[in-house]
Amino acid sequence: MTLVLGISAFYHDSAACLVQDGKILFAAQEERFSRIKHDRNFPVRAIGAALEHTGLRLNDIQHVAYYDKPLLTLDRLIETWLAFVPFGWRFFVTALPAWLNEKLFIAREIDKGLRDTYEGPQYFLRHHQSHAASAFYPSPYQEAAVLTMDGVGEWSTTTIGIGQGSRLTLRDEIRFPHSLGLLYSAFTYYTGFKVNSGEYKMMGLAPYGQPVYAERIRKHLIDLKPDGSFWMDMRYFNYCQGLTMTSAAFHDLFEGDPRSSEAPLTKRDMDLAASIQQVCEEVMVALARRAKQLTGADYLCMAGGCALNCVANGLIEKEKLFKGLFIQPAAGDAGGSLGAALFTWHEILGEARQASPIDSLRGSYLGTQFTNDRIETFLRAAHAPYFRMDDAQLPERVGRLIAEQRVVGFFYGRMEFGPRALGARSILGDPRNPKMQSLMNLRIKFRESFRPFAPAALAERQGDYFEMDAESPYMLLVAPVAKSQRKSVTPEAEDADPLSRLHQDRSEIPAVTHVDYTARLQTLTQERNGMFYSVVKAFEALTGCAVVINTSFNIRGEPIVQAPEEAYRCFMYTDMDALVLQNCVLLKEEQPVLAGALDYRKSFKAD
């Protein structure tokens, strides 16, 4: 038995992954345990949870792999500072202490994080090697092109490679400071959202605007070549030499200062979001074409933060450049822990790989799980009324709650790895209700009303609702809603205030239909999704509808829930109607008043 521990830490979204003889045993982000969103600290809690789940001990670990090469990143920082002397001084003196204290001595931090009990080898991989490995090795393809795109890892911002069996080779790259991820993040910053977490908000805002600034972006900010390579004019950016993303020249180009995070969203912000989204899509499709040209492969695997741009992913799928597309669900830095462990097993240790017809991530259900006994012990201590149902009864009961317009917190099985809720730590609702999107956003998620919800659909019926024949098991492809499902909207309504378009009834499943008639789709199968599939199947039997709303089980500013206590608190602190904790079902009207819950709800103002 060979046990490999993969680690990502100290940058963004720390995580740990345990791999035994090439099989993924456990993977989870540190934030789920620390309750600090995007926690970057060493994943002590995630490692502890992995060992507890598997029954293993620290001294069982034989190999440790870290997803980055810190010395190469330090080399980039120093060279960047020298290139911008004296303007980069403030940035350099801000970044350097963290390096001298922490990142430069990762081996020491690993020893400390493992309580000085580990004496085996430590491997340090290139950042984009880890991303590429996280996508290719779990994929169902024996050979595939691999495309990675993010902000920056060491020097690389984009790589193209090929995976063949157990071998993975990176053939081409784009280097810092030219970065699609940082370009997108510059607009995230400029439109008032938080860099490294608000990018998906801007993607959701884009359909409300028009790409009126796209040509300005192409002319001044990024020069995209026919082969997918690109060059950025650094006069407009400040991330090399300053502590902000954009420069005064950027602000002049777009005629205004960045929006403050609390300022109202304007049509201009929506147009900026639409414009950079369109350019991002053009670049990603061009890179996919380049990957096809360079490798000749029939299949494509993708990872890196940009691979979470599900709208662009949907366009790549629509191009049909490849026979199949696999996108790693934990595509950002967290997934680097998975890639580091698998790269160690296959490349460093030289172990063979044979792809399986279904990817080896098992629905991304790779985290913690809680027994009914553990849950019932907590519920009795909390004096929380509940009733218990067996697995055969549960799907029909949950399906009926959803059909009755109840919003259901669904906490069942192993927690998902990655930023998407995929039916294990999810909030579920009826997509046929046109008011459900606003209700769930404002009274349960406590977030911006424009944010779209994703549909989870039975794979065998996805064609009835969506114009896409490819599977989308990890909610990473946007698909057009089928014309047969759409409802017409009057021209006067289309010309209305952009955010008022949110409330227009656009389809038979309006709560998951975005203003541009698209949806971020998750497709479900019994083999991959188990109980969640059975719930949607039961909902279909009751209503004829094979789709439910699926959104993450958390409220604004918090990570997705990990433990039953967190799920119960979220249930009680919001207007959720029912809670499923494994086989235990709770109804809100039967629960005692929880101290602080009403005040908490009142503290959030509707957008």
Side-chain angles (χ1 to χ4, degrees):
M1 179 185 78
T2 301
L3 194 67
V4 183
L5 172 65
I7 295 169
S8 63
F10 305 125
Y11 292 92
H12 187 70
D13 280 336
S14 295
C17 174
L18 271 182
V19 169
Q20 179 183 311
D21 296 339
K23 181 182 179 181
I24 306 164
L25 298 183
F26 186 96
Q29 301 102 298
E30 182 71 2
E31 67 164 19
R32 303 294 175 85
F33 307 95
S34 68
R35 310 309 298 160
I36 301 170
K37 199 161 187 177
H38 303 300
D39 194 342
R40 57 177 293 282
N41 292 301
F42 191 87
V44 173
R45 297 172 183 84
I47 293 170
L51 296 173
E52 181 179 358
H53 178 84
T54 58
L56 297 166
R57 299 167 298 174
L58 276 174
N59 58 13
D60 292 322
I61 297 170
Q62 295 150 291
H63 303 271
V64 170
Y66 185 72
Y67 83 128
D68 195 86
K69 285 187 178 289
L71 286 177
L72 280 179
T73 305
L74 181 60
D75 175 65
R76 169 174 58 81
L77 287 174
I78 293 173
E79 286 201 29
T80 301
W81 174 65
L82 291 173
F84 285 89
V85 166
F87 302 106
W89 175 248
R90 186 179 175 201
F91 172 76
F92 187 72
V93 298
T94 301
L96 188 60
W99 279 96
L100 295 179
N101 182 51
E102 181 182 79
K103 296 177 183 176
L104 190 58
F105 301 102
I106 295 294
R108 179 192 66 190
E109 294 298 320
I110 291 173
D111 287 339
K112 186 167 64 174
L114 299 181
R115 290 181 263 168
D116 294 318
T117 61
Y118 175 73
E119 298 180 354
Q122 295 181 14
Y123 309 103
F124 294 86
L125 280 66
R126 286 169 53 199
H127 188 96
H128 281 261
Q129 271 181 330
S130 298
H131 276 321
S134 76
F136 174 64
Y137 288 129
S139 80
Y141 313 132
Q142 193 66 13
E143 177 175 307
V146 186
L147 174 61
T148 69
M149 304 157 288
D150 66 3
V152 59
E154 298 102 22
W155 281 101
S156 301
T157 66
T158 302
T159 67
I160 295 173
I162 187 166
Q164 297 169 305
S166 60
R167 304 294 296 172
L168 179 60
T169 306
L170 301 184
R171 293 185 175 178
D172 202 2
E173 69 173 359
I174 297 172
R175 291 168 67 87
F176 183 85
H178 310 292
S179 165
L180 181 61
L182 292 176
L183 174 66
Y184 204 83
S185 290
F187 279 86
T188 302
Y189 166 82
Y190 189 65
T191 51
F193 299 115
K194 189 175 180 180
V195 172
N196 288 330
S197 63
E199 283 77 8
Y200 57 92
K201 295 182 183 181
M202 192 169 67
M203 183 174 62
L205 186 64
Y208 293 95
Q210 298 297 321
V212 297
Y213 299 103
E215 187 55 38
R216 200 177 303 188
I217 295 170
R218 297 185 196 102
K219 182 177 179 180
H220 295 278
L221 301 189
I222 182 169
D223 180 16
L224 176 62
K225 304 298 185 184
D227 67 353
S229 63
F230 55 85
W231 177 89
M232 290 163 53
D233 190 336
M234 299 313 297
R235 292 177 298 171
Y236 294 97
F237 303 94
N238 199 42
Y239 56 76
C240 287
Q241 72 274 27
L243 302 179
T244 60
M245 295 299 297
T246 56
S247 70
F250 188 106
H251 307 161
D252 290 342
L253 181 64
F254 295 102
E255 302 164 344
D257 292 333
R259 181 182 78 93
S260 70
S261 59
E262 299 303 319
L265 287 165
T266 65
K267 185 178 185 303
R268 175 172 171 272
D269 300 315
M270 299 171 198
D271 290 344
L272 285 164
S275 301
I276 187 57
Q277 177 62 33
Q278 184 179 89
V279 173
C280 179
E281 292 163 8
E282 292 169 1
V283 175
M284 287 180 63
V285 170
L287 287 167
R289 290 196 188 107
R290 174 61 175 161
K292 178 68 175 180
Q293 178 187 34
L294 191 64
T295 67
D298 290 331
Y299 301 96
L300 176 66
C301 301
M302 295 170 59
C306 294
L308 294 172
N309 193 310
C310 50
V311 181
N313 296 342
L315 291 177
I316 293 172
E317 195 285 324
K318 188 177 180 180
E319 286 272 313
K320 299 299 181 185
L321 298 166
F322 298 90
K323 294 179 181 178
L325 178 65
F326 178 78
I327 308 160
Q328 213 276 94
D333 277 7
S337 63
L338 171 66
L342 291 175
F343 188 92
T344 298
W345 172 252
H346 291 296
E347 284 276 4
I348 296 176
L349 301 180
E351 297 292 343
R353 168 185 175 270
Q354 182 62 49
S356 58
I358 297 179
D359 69 80
S360 62
L361 293 179
R362 304 192 300 282
S364 206
Y365 305 127
L366 300 171
T368 50
Q369 183 172 11
F370 294 84
T371 65
N372 283 304
D373 288 347
R374 159 75 167 79
I375 290 167
E376 290 188 86
T377 298
F378 158 68
L379 291 176
R380 286 193 293 268
H383 305 289
Y386 68 94
F387 53 94
R388 182 166 168 173
M389 310 190 79
D390 62 33
D391 281 352
Q393 300 169 315
L394 189 64
E396 196 278 339
R397 185 70 178 101
V398 179
R400 188 170 296 280
L401 285 169
I402 300 169
E404 292 170 351
Q405 306 305 299
R406 306 283 193 105
V407 177
V408 179
F410 193 69
F411 182 107
Y412 188 97
R414 294 187 67 178
M415 179 176 66
E416 306 93 334
F417 181 46
R420 308 293 189 216
L422 299 170
R425 305 291 184 270
S426 291
I427 299 174
L428 309 178
D430 189 340
R432 302 170 301 163
N433 183 344
K435 297 181 180 179
M436 192 61 72
Q437 179 184 6
S438 292
L439 184 151
M440 291 176 71
N441 266 330
L442 299 178
R443 296 174 58 190
I444 294 170
K445 301 288 282 186
F446 301 125
R447 68 185 192 182
E448 301 90 344
S449 60
F450 69 82
R451 301 271 293 279
F453 284 112
L458 301 178
E460 64 268 26
R461 288 199 58 198
Q462 74 181 79
D464 295 340
Y465 298 92
F466 305 100
E467 294 177 354
M468 186 176 73
D469 55 5
E471 68 170 4
S472 180
Y474 299 119
M475 207 185 282
L476 286 170
L477 294 173
V478 160
V481 173
K483 289 182 176 62
S484 61
Q485 296 289 325
R486 299 183 188 183
K487 295 181 180 180
S488 60
V489 178
T490 65
E492 293 79 11
E494 284 298 319
D495 293 336
D497 173 67
L499 286 183
S500 71
R501 296 164 61 195
L502 169 71
H503 307 291
Q504 294 157 10
D505 192 354
R506 294 178 175 271
S507 78
E508 299 297 331
I509 45 172
V512 294
T513 301
H514 213 5
V515 294
D516 58 353
Y517 290 102
T518 64
R520 175 163 52 90
L521 174 63
Q522 179 190 9
T523 55
L524 308 179
T525 64
Q526 181 71 63
E527 184 174 10
R528 182 181 273 118
N529 303 104
M531 179 58 73
F532 185 37
Y533 173 91
S534 297
V535 166
V536 181
K537 193 73 175 173
F539 179 74
E540 178 198 31
L542 291 165
T543 66
C545 180
V547 180
V548 300
I549 298 171
N550 177 17
T551 190
S552 57
F553 200 154
N554 66 313
I555 51 180
R556 186 173 71 177
E558 294 188 358
I560 293 174
V561 299
Q562 185 273 141
E565 292 83 355
E566 296 149 14
Y568 182 73
R569 175 180 172 272
C570 184
F571 167 60
M572 293 299 295
Y573 271 47
T574 67
D575 289 330
M576 217 177 300
D577 300 300
L579 172 64
V580 177
L581 292 174
Q582 205 64 23
N583 292 85
C584 302
V585 180
L586 294 79
L587 302 178
K588 177 63 68 64
E589 62 266 24
E590 297 178 354
Q591 303 306 309
V593 175
L594 188 65
L598 184 59
D599 290 340
Y600 181 82
R601 282 179 240 171
K602 288 180 178 178
S603 70
F604 289 93
K605 295 180 181 179
D607 293 302

